[in-house]
Amino acid sequence: MDASDMGSDLAAVLLTEEQIHTRLDEMAAAIDRDYAGEPILLVGVLKGAVMVMADLSRRLHAPVEMDWMAVSSYGSGTKSSGVVRILKDLDMDTHGRNVLIVEDIIDSGLTLSWLLGNLRSRGAKTVEVATLLRKPGAAKVEVPVRYVGFDIPNDFVVGYGLDYDEGYRTLPFVATLAPSVYGDDG
Ligand code: PRP
């Protein structure tokens, strides 16, 4: 899928494929430097983190294993409550491991805040976060994030794992969605 498939759904390309890949090179280098050859358990948060996980993990020289969690806001329309339930838990034991949570985006920060607390309570040696995108303008809670790809404006973005109504995830770049798509065009 590329921009030619999208018609007028996209307002603008925010981050090109090349910008994303260059930044992932830098993030992987920083992670390798920091962990200095120690094994890392990468924990991806489904579904949005799939692309970041695939591209970041393959750039790392450190020995890595991958695991996944799927989480959901509790109830409907309560994302801002920060109450999260686990739809799919980790398969692996995190005891004594260096856990690195891999996210596509930090919006309000509530999902990550909950996740950090949850994973820290499981006896990991370290728990850190790597995210491709972060929206400082949408933050409801401050969360310590060690590796950030890009701080972006508080716009509706899709692509590179990020969806609108489950669409657009497979775009290789990050784009802002035209307001007409989500019904906010005045
Ligand atoms: C997105 C993203 C984060 C979360 C961030 O997932 O992948 O997990 O939202 O939002 P927050 O900072 O406001 O908590 P989403 O719930 O859209 O699910 P998805 O990854 O399956 O698309």
Side-chain angles (χ1 to χ4, degrees):
M1 179 183 253
D2 61 31
S4 66
D5 299 317
M6 302 313 306
S8 58
D9 286 1
L10 304 181
V13 173
L14 185 66
L15 296 167
T16 65
E17 187 172 3
E18 189 185 358
Q19 285 175 306
I20 293 168
H21 285 208
T22 300
R23 189 70 186 116
L24 288 175
D25 286 342
E26 294 168 354
M27 291 171 74
I31 292 167
D32 272 332
R33 210 164 41 236
D34 291 351
Y35 287 87
E38 280 200 39
I40 307 170
L41 175 60
L42 300 173
V43 172
V45 185
L46 295 168
K47 304 173 191 170
V50 166
M51 307 299 177
V52 191
M53 179 69 122
D55 287 341
L56 182 65
S57 63
R58 287 180 293 174
R59 285 169 161 78
L60 293 171
H61 296 285
V64 297
E65 289 179 336
M66 255 184 220
D67 205 348
W68 300 90
M69 284 184 79
V71 298
S72 166
S73 306
Y74 209 77
S76 60
T78 53
K79 194 164 185 172
S80 61
S81 73
V83 181
V84 172
R85 73 191 157 115
I86 297 175
L87 302 178
K88 185 227 166 289
D89 205 349
L90 297 174
D91 296 327
M92 295 179 192
D93 185 0
T94 57
H95 255 98
R97 309 288 307 272
N98 292 309
V99 172
L100 180 58
I101 300 171
V102 178
E103 267 285 23
D104 52 337
I105 189 164
I106 301 169
D107 208 307
S108 68
L110 291 167
T111 304
L112 189 59
S113 174
W114 180 90
L115 207 52
L116 273 170
N118 180 279
L119 291 176
R120 280 182 179 141
S121 71
R122 303 194 202 189
K125 183 178 170 192
T126 62
V127 184
E128 301 287 352
V129 181
T131 185
L132 181 69
L133 307 175
R134 180 174 63 181
K135 284 184 180 173
K140 290 192 172 143
V141 56
E142 289 304 318
V143 278
V145 181
R146 186 140 181 194
Y147 308 98
V148 179
F150 302 92
D151 278 326
I152 62 169
N154 196 8
D155 297 325
F156 204 120
V157 289
V158 295
Y160 202 75
L162 292 146
D163 76 309
Y164 172 67
D165 202 16
E166 293 301 326
Y168 312 98
R169 288 195 201 272
T170 54
L171 287 171
F173 50 83
V174 173
T176 48
L177 202 57
S180 57
V181 177
Y182 54 90
D184 188 26
D185 53 355

